[in-house]
Amino acid sequence: MTTYRIGEAAELLGVSADTVRRWMDAGRLPAGRDEHGHRVVAGVDLAAFARAQAADPDAGAEFSSARNRLRGIVVDVRKDTVMAQVDIQAGPFRVVSLMSREAVDELDLRVGSVAVAVIKSTTVVVERATPVTSRGRAGG
């Protein structure tokens, strides 16, 4: 069974190790101990917790077939005469979108504003991370 130490779980959830400890102490995130006495969380429990923590889609999402919605803050906007690049930081994820300058102006996208990156793609590449150790823990 794949298990994760507190630091690994924190990285995967995009929170601090202290937050993961508080969730464990409060019983919100089930934890056990490994052979060295370190607290660990089973991969299936971590996945269930992450899914339960996922925010509901933003208002209006029920009118879209896209299911991948990442809400974040605009951290950079670069515009030229025709095109623009908008960078959104959504938790630990950076999303970069290329769009027309007209769209950026109409949406009034600027650094510091909240935006939702809606992603619909026919191609999504999924990679599996290399295991962290040979003791059954995986990196992702």
Side-chain angles (χ1 to χ4, degrees):
M1 172 177 36
T2 302
T3 60
Y4 297 92
R5 291 176 113 174
I6 290 173
E8 294 168 325
E11 182 179 346
L12 291 169
L13 295 172
V15 298
S16 71
D18 286 339
T19 297
V20 172
R21 281 187 197 92
R22 282 193 295 274
W23 287 338
M24 288 176 170
D25 292 343
R28 292 181 58 199
L29 181 59
R33 300 266 178 190
D34 66 11
E35 64 274 9
H36 303 289
H38 298 114
R39 285 198 285 187
V40 294
V41 60
V44 294
D45 291 335
L46 185 60
F49 182 81
R51 184 175 183 103
Q53 295 304 304
D56 289 332
D58 292 316
E62 65 271 11
F63 301 112
S64 174
S65 64
R67 296 294 176 250
N68 302 305
R69 304 174 64 81
L70 301 172
R71 187 171 193 263
I73 187 167
V74 175
V75 294
D76 193 24
V77 177
R78 297 181 197 160
K79 299 190 274 188
D80 66 19
T81 56
V82 177
M83 295 299 293
Q85 175 180 317
V86 177
D87 293 18
I88 300 170
Q89 193 67 39
F93 305 106
R94 176 178 173 237
V95 180
V96 179
S97 179
L98 301 176
M99 64 185 78
S100 69
R101 179 188 177 115
E102 179 182 13
V104 170
D105 292 342
E106 285 179 5
L107 292 170
D108 194 26
L109 294 174
R110 12 176 139 175
V111 172
S113 60
V114 174
V116 178
V118 180
I119 303 161
K120 177 121 179 158
S121 178
T122 56
T123 303
V124 175
V125 177
V126 176
E127 298 177 340
R128 181 157 183 200
T130 306
V132 175
T133 69
S134 59
R135 292 182 294 161
R137 289 186 291 129

